Amino acid sequence: MSEPVRDRFTRPLASLRLSVTDRCNLRCRYCMPEDEYVWLPRASILTFEELERLVGVFAGLGVHKVRLTGGEPLLRHDLAALVGMIARHPQVRDLAMTTNGLLLARQATALRAAGLRRVTVSLDTLRAERMLAFAKSERHADVLAGIAAAQAAGFDNVKLNTVVIRHFNDDELEDLLEFARARAAEVRFIEYMDVGGATRWSMAQVVSQREILDRLRRRYGPITPLPDDSRAPAERFRLADGMTFGIIASTTAPFCRTCDRSRLTADGAWLLCLYAERGLDLREPLRRGASDAELAELIRAAWQGRSDRGAEERLGVAERGALYRLDSLRADPHREMHTRGG
Ligand code: SAM
C-alpha cells in the first residue's frame, strides 16, 4: 500500500468514524439532553452507495479503520447491508461499531455475518432506574440483552463504554468492572467531555483518569499501565488479578498528538477534529458528479493542511464551560456530538 497521507504534525489519515444517522433513541444528559432537535434534512442523508463510495476513496488514501456510529447507528434501516458493502474493501482491516445496544439483540448475528468485526456498547450504569433518570429510557434490559447477543454472535471482542460523571455513576466503577469481568468483556471509562451537545457540562462533574485510578487502587491494589497502541484513544491498565480495562482521558489528558481520526456526518460533512467548528462538505462534489480522483484530491489537500488539536486547546481555556449553548447548536446541528458521531 502507498504511504498514508499525513497532516502538518505527520499524523496519518488512518481512522474514519462514519456517523450513519443523527437520530438517537436515547436522550443521555451528557449528549442529547433535549426532547427535540433540529435534524439533518432527509434528502441530505447520504445513501449506502454514496457512503460506500466515500469509504472507498478514504481507503485509497490510507484509511484502514472504520467505525460506524451516530446518533444511534442501529436506527439506520438495514445497517447490515452497509456493513457488507464496506467490508468488501480489503484495505478496511478493522470495521467496528459503537452503539447504545437497544436494538442490538435482534441485529447482532446479521451484522457479524455481514463482516462487522468489533462492537462497543455504551453502558453507563447497571441500574435501570439510573438509566431512566439519565437517558430517559426504560429499556435497560434491552441493552444487557444486546451485550449478550453480541457476545453470542462471536464478535472479536465486545467493549463497554462508560462515561463517568460525578454524582451520577462514579460509585459504579467497581460494579461495572465486575460486570465486564463476568462476561470477558473490557470496560473503558470515558472522562466527561465538553463536546457539542453537552450543554450541562462543568469541570466539577468530570471524574479524571487520576481519580478513577485512585479509586480502583483502593479496592483492587496496584494497577499496571499496559504498553499502548499509541494511536488508540484508550490507555489500558491491568489489575493485579489480571483484569484489564481502559480509560479515555480526553478531558484532562488529551491525545491530539497521535490523533489519526476524522469523522463523516450522515450528510457528508467531513470533520478533521471532534472540536472542529465546521467540516468540509463532501456531499456537494459527490452529488455534482466529481470523480473518485477529484474527491481524493479534496480529501488529501484538507488532511495535509490539518493542524487541529481541539481537545488540547480546550485545556488552555481559563473558565471552561459548555462548548456551545443550545441556540448555537440549533443554528447548526453539525456542532452536535450526535451528528458528528462519538
Ligand atoms: N449511540 C451510540 C452510543 O450510544 O454508543 C453511538 C454514538 S455516541 C455519541 C458515541 C459515544 O460517545 C458513546 O460511548 C457516548 O457515551 C460518548 N459520548 C457522548 N457524549 C459524550 C460526552 N459529553 N463525553 C464523553 N463521551 C460522550
Side-chain angles (χ1 to χ4, degrees):
M1 203 191 75
S2 55
E3 260 300 286
V5 182
R6 291 185 183 270
D7 73 5
R8 290 200 194 175
F9 299 139
T10 72
R11 298 170 296 187
L13 172 59
S15 166
L16 182 68
R17 305 211 167 186
L18 213 56
S19 173
V20 294
T21 177
D22 56 333
R23 307 275 170 154
C24 193
N25 42 7
L26 289 184
R27 286 293 177 273
C28 302
R29 271 182 52 156
Y30 54 74
C31 186
M32 289 185 85
E34 310 303 319
D35 291 325
E36 267 316 309
Y37 281 90
V38 177
W39 305 111
L40 300 176
R42 253 172 218 284
S44 73
I45 304 293
L46 301 184
T47 63
F48 284 180
E49 288 69 24
E50 290 172 325
L51 286 170
E52 186 208 359
R53 187 157 162 231
L54 286 177
V55 168
V57 174
F58 277 104
L61 291 167
V63 165
H64 56 87
K65 292 174 85 165
V66 174
R67 178 172 291 273
L68 304 175
T69 178
E72 171 46 41
L74 295 178
L75 285 176
R76 183 85 189 240
H77 180 65
D78 201 12
L79 191 72
L82 177 66
V83 167
M85 290 160 79
I86 296 174
R88 282 199 288 274
H89 289 276
Q91 304 100 315
V92 179
R93 300 195 296 274
D94 184 15
L95 180 52
M97 176 180 68
T98 304
T99 171
N100 63 31
L102 286 186
L103 301 171
L104 188 54
R106 65 178 96 135
Q107 298 189 45
T109 306
L111 290 163
R112 182 72 193 95
L116 191 69
R117 299 281 292 271
R118 298 191 297 122
V119 173
T120 302
V121 182
S122 297
L123 180 70
D124 295 326
T125 177
L126 293 173
R127 305 190 195 170
E129 74 282 4
R130 283 192 173 174
M131 179 169 168
L132 178 59
F134 214 73
K136 299 184 191 162
S137 171
E138 295 183 335
R139 299 176 58 188
H140 192 261
D142 291 346
V143 180
L144 301 187
I147 294 168
Q151 296 200 297
F155 283 101
D156 288 356
N157 53 30
V158 174
K159 287 189 187 145
L160 306 174
N161 269 1
T162 302
V163 181
V164 183
I165 300 190
R166 196 176 308 285
H167 303 318
F168 162 58
N169 62 351
D170 55 334
D171 57 349
E172 285 192 68
L173 304 184
E174 298 87 346
D175 291 349
L176 284 155
L177 262 182
E178 294 305 326
F179 176 89
R181 185 202 300 276
R183 287 155 188 80
E186 187 166 294
V187 65
R188 290 135 43 106
F189 297 116
I190 306 177
E191 288 181 355
Y192 185 15
M193 294 173 71
D194 53 348
V195 288
T199 45
R200 300 171 189 184
W201 186 91
S202 71
M203 197 67 203
Q205 297 168 81
V206 176
V207 182
S208 68
Q209 161 160 300
R210 177 188 293 203
E211 211 179 324
I212 293 172
L213 288 173
D214 282 349
R215 182 174 173 132
L216 292 176
R217 251 184 232 112
R218 282 200 290 277
R219 158 90 179 257
Y220 295 103
I223 295 176
T224 319
L226 291 173
D228 64 332
D229 157 7
S230 62
R231 300 211 173 270
E235 270 187 66
R236 295 180 67 236
F237 300 89
R238 185 187 288 123
L239 304 180
D241 64 16
M243 176 71 189
T244 58
F245 64 97
I247 301 183
I248 302 183
S250 326
T251 303
T252 66
F255 32 83
C256 301
R257 270 179 201 81
T258 57
C259 178
D260 61 2
R261 282 172 293 286
S262 65
R263 295 174 158 80
L264 188 69
T265 64
D267 65 343
W270 182 45
L271 294 144
L272 304 185
C273 173
L274 183 52
Y275 286 91
E277 215 166 301
R278 58 185 60 82
L280 177 69
D281 180 10
L282 295 178
R283 183 182 80 248
E284 191 279 325
L286 183 74
R287 292 194 175 165
R288 182 171 31 84
S291 66
D292 282 6
E294 285 166 331
L295 290 168
E297 217 22 69
L298 278 175
I299 293 167
R300 180 196 304 277
W303 191 264
Q304 285 174 337
R306 176 186 191 242
S307 59
D308 300 67
R309 301 165 38 251
E312 285 177 359
E313 279 167 7
R314 292 293 295 163
L315 264 188
V317 174
E319 306 234 329
R320 197 167 169 183
L323 181 64
Y324 292 115
R325 288 180 17 184
L326 193 54
D327 49 352
S328 122
L329 293 169
R330 292 219 159 111
D332 183 0
H334 289 99
R335 293 176 175 151
E336 296 275 10
M337 176 74 153
H338 68 263
T339 309
R340 302 190 156 197

